[in-house]
Amino acid sequence: MYYMLVSDREELPSKPKGYWVRSRGLMMEDPEPEPEPKLVLVFSGKRKSGKDYVADLIHSRLGPDVCCVMRLSGPLKQQYAQEEGLDLDQLLGPGLYKEQFRADMILWGETRRRHDPGYFCRLATQGARQPVWVVSDARRLSDLRWFFSEFPRQTRSVRVQSSENTRTQRGWSFTAGVDDAESECGLDSGVDFDWIITNEADAPSLEEQLQPILKLAEEATSAASSSSRHISTSLSDE
């Protein structure tokens, strides 16, 4: 790889394309930037509301080449498991293993967020190249603010809701220090969601409720495909 030394913080008259100046005087090749998403769907909801299920349903409809599901809890649990010597696979799973560590893990995550509110958002989005991002587990206003700040045109918020009775039937029970913490209550108010999905047996089907979201996703990806074809054609004509 080509590199050169320049004086610290020196601005070159004409910086070579594809290169950047780092601090301490080292200029190296700039890696190709990751493409921006065309649509970012940020989901939130209470425990056992079914937000992961709804996110996976959208993913299955759009396909893995178009859509990726991001869980902000993934990098959090990975870091926490490493520091505490825990089983990451079980922490990521739906079983009871993670419940015994949930309260402490929440406190650990809050400490990280106080220092850097976007820390776990950045980790979760690294390497994503699909045009549609589905963030399945936003829990705080800081999560929403980060996505709206980074991708203001593309971001939409979605709330998945279910009654306490339905959530109880799915295995939920109130846990002090968890269900009354910011991680569960941070988005209960003060947010004007773009869509609210009611995940109940007597509500309209999820297929029906998700139609506007799927339509927007298809429009966003179609526009992106058309733009790519136009660029490809233009280059071939040169």
Side-chain angles (χ1 to χ4, degrees), residues 1-12 19-28:
M1 177 186 294
Y2 169 80
Y3 66 91
M4 62 177 288
L5 290 174
V6 297
S7 61
D8 196 19
R9 299 185 183 277
E10 178 183 355
E11 292 294 332
L12 297 180
Y19 295 86
W20 58 293
V21 178
R22 296 181 62 183
S23 61
R24 310 181 76 88
L26 182 62
M27 187 172 76
M28 300 182 66

Side-chain angles (χ1 to χ4, degrees), residues 3-181:
Y3 66 91
M4 62 177 288
L5 290 174
V6 297
S7 61
D8 196 19
R9 299 185 183 277
E10 178 183 355
E11 292 294 332
L12 297 180
S14 57
K15 191 186 303 181
K17 184 178 181 181
Y19 295 86
W20 58 293
V21 178
R22 296 181 62 183
S23 61
R24 310 181 76 88
L26 182 62
M27 187 172 76
M28 300 182 66
E29 186 176 3
D30 188 5
E32 181 182 351
E34 294 178 352
E36 278 203 354
K38 303 304 177 185
L39 178 63
V40 181
L41 299 168
V42 183
F43 281 77
S44 67
K46 298 286 193 180
R47 291 197 297 142
K48 299 299 182 178
S49 63
K51 56 185 179 296
D52 285 316
Y53 176 80
V54 175
D56 289 340
L57 188 59
I58 290 176
H59 179 261
S60 67
R61 283 293 306 274
L62 297 177
D65 293 334
V66 170
C67 175
C68 64
V69 176
M70 302 171 174
R71 293 180 169 88
L72 302 183
S73 60
L76 185 154
K77 290 176 180 177
Q78 183 176 27
Q79 298 270 339
Y80 180 75
Q82 288 176 353
E83 293 191 13
E84 300 297 324
L86 301 176
D87 188 317
L88 176 60
D89 289 336
Q90 291 200 60
L91 275 184
L92 293 171
L96 297 177
Y97 179 85
K98 67 180 178 183
E99 298 302 329
Q100 60 187 310
F101 302 106
R102 184 184 289 272
D104 183 65
M105 187 163 53
I106 288 172
L107 293 175
W108 178 89
E110 295 299 343
T111 301
R112 288 294 179 95
R113 286 187 178 90
R114 277 195 293 272
H115 293 291
D116 182 359
Y119 180 74
F120 296 112
C121 296
R122 287 195 301 275
L123 287 179
T125 58
Q126 282 181 355
R129 306 190 71 84
Q130 291 93 330
V132 177
W133 295 1
V134 175
V135 182
S136 69
D137 59 349
R139 297 178 181 276
R140 299 160 183 81
L141 283 172
S142 61
D143 296 335
L144 279 179
R145 287 180 184 133
W146 188 86
F147 283 100
F148 276 111
S149 174
E150 294 294 316
F151 310 104
R153 293 181 298 100
Q154 303 100 310
T155 300
R156 302 290 186 276
S157 59
V158 188
R159 183 73 167 181
V160 179
Q161 62 183 17
S162 296
S163 67
E164 285 194 5
N165 182 55
T166 297
R167 292 164 58 211
T168 300
Q169 293 175 6
R170 295 171 182 162
W172 173 80
S173 63
F174 179 84
T175 303
V178 174
D179 292 292
D180 52 1

